[in-house]
Amino acid sequence: DVKVTQSSRYLVKRTGEKVFLECVQDMDHENMFWYRQDPGLGLRLIYFSYDVKMKEKGDIPEGYSVSREKKERFSLILESASTNQTSMYLCASQTGLSYEQYFGPGTRLTVT
Amino acid sequence: AQSVTQLDSQVPVFEEAPVELRCNYSSSVSVYLFWYVQYPNQGLQLLLKYLSGSTLVKGINGFEAEFNKSQTSFHLRKPSVHISDTAEYFCAVSETGGSEKLVFGKGTKLTVNP
């Protein structure tokens, strides 16, 4: 079974803090994605990566950056957290041969 | 660019009743279609997918969906729901031969009542 893990299930941070969300997949997938999920808005793509050190902006990249130094790990960085970044963050991985995405359990981030 | 519309944000039903969750998409090219389910406090899990072939697709937990190209729809159905089907359901689309990104609908919250 494909496993996608995220470093924290719940996280509380203060405004202005630098926040790191980590995601690890164990299936050697090429593609990895970061989404945020808000009630009534569904999933919105923040960033994705097709390979190590490669990244592309999604629909809502403002206020976020990413890092992919190893194939299995994809990090989402909030340089200076703000209250409007309070949300559920979901990571997913995907083999380049298939369009199916495998999701982690999510990190519920609260910025106070 | 593709888009997905899930026509109902909430669907309440009684246990053992049939249910249909509606999904329409918009795209200028051929697409792949997916339904995902999210149980409370969990990530998304694939229910079923349409890539090619038969337009009637069967998935896990007794769900099925039918791809209708002329109506650009991919509605999800189950003939008899259980309390455990209470969850949020997301329809997603991706262009064939293009970027592997998925575009998601806003979700339908299915509540199964006893």
Side-chain angles (χ1 to χ4, degrees):
Chain A
D1 268 358
V2 175
K3 190 146 188 174
V4 180
T5 56
Q6 295 184 229
S7 50
S8 306
R9 292 299 305 273
Y10 300 92
L11 207 53
V12 180
K13 295 291 182 181
R14 294 196 180 276
T15 302
E17 278 193 80
K18 190 168 186 175
V19 182
F20 293 86
L21 303 183
E22 304 284 334
C23 175
V24 178
Q25 51 97 0
D26 66 356
M27 284 301 290
D28 202 36
H29 284 171
E30 292 87 355
N31 304 338
M32 296 187 75
F33 303 80
W34 275 107
Y35 298 91
R36 67 175 280 175
Q37 182 182 12
D38 300 288
L41 297 180
L43 275 72
R44 293 181 291 167
L45 182 63
I46 304 172
Y47 267 97
F48 59 102
S49 169
Y50 287 132
D51 204 346
V52 174
K53 295 191 187 295
M54 296 185 69
K55 60 188 178 185
E56 289 194 31
K57 293 180 181 179
D59 301 316
I60 52 164
E62 296 78 19
Y64 304 94
S65 62
V66 290
S67 171
R68 194 167 181 198
E69 297 295 320
K70 293 185 177 182
K71 192 173 186 179
E72 68 271 18
R73 188 179 298 268
F74 192 34
S75 302
L76 180 69
I77 303 154
L78 287 66
E79 294 289 341
S80 177
S82 64
T83 55
N84 63 13
Q85 292 178 309
T86 290
S87 187
M88 170 72 92
Y89 290 88
L90 292 166
C91 174
S93 75
Q94 177 193 56
T95 171
L97 300 174
S98 161
Y99 287 71
E100 179 180 347
Q101 293 187 13
Y102 298 84
F103 284 82
T107 295
R108 189 168 294 280
L109 172 67
T110 302
V111 183
T112 61
Chain B
Q2 317 102 290
S3 66
V4 177
T5 302
Q6 291 185 242
L7 294 151
D8 305 295
S9 59
Q10 298 190 55
V11 174
V13 295
F14 288 108
E15 195 173 16
E16 298 183 5
V19 71
E20 178 180 81
L21 305 184
R22 296 179 293 168
C23 172
N24 285 91
Y25 69 92
S26 172
S27 177
S28 57
V29 299
S30 297
V31 296
Y32 297 140
L33 293 155
F34 304 81
W35 275 99
Y36 283 83
V37 61
Q38 185 180 34
Y39 299 105
N41 298 314
Q42 294 187 27
L44 275 68
Q45 176 185 357
L46 183 71
L47 266 181
L48 48 80
K49 61 186 176 186
Y50 171 79
L51 302 182
S52 65
S54 171
T55 57
L56 183 62
V57 181
K58 293 192 185 297
I60 62 171
N61 301 339
F63 284 92
E64 63 180 32
E66 186 152 23
F67 170 50
N68 187 319
K69 189 174 181 180
S70 62
Q71 297 189 4
T72 60
S73 68
F74 191 54
H75 301 333
L76 181 71
R77 301 184 183 100
K78 186 170 182 178
S80 175
V81 293
H82 302 292
I83 299 282
S84 59
D85 292 323
T86 294
E88 191 155 21
Y89 293 79
F90 292 93
C91 182
V93 64
S94 183
E95 291 183 352
T96 64
S99 159
E100 290 105 331
K101 290 188 290 182
L102 296 183
V103 175
F104 287 86
K106 293 184 178 179
T108 297
K109 194 162 287 187
L110 174 66
T111 303
V112 181
N113 298 301

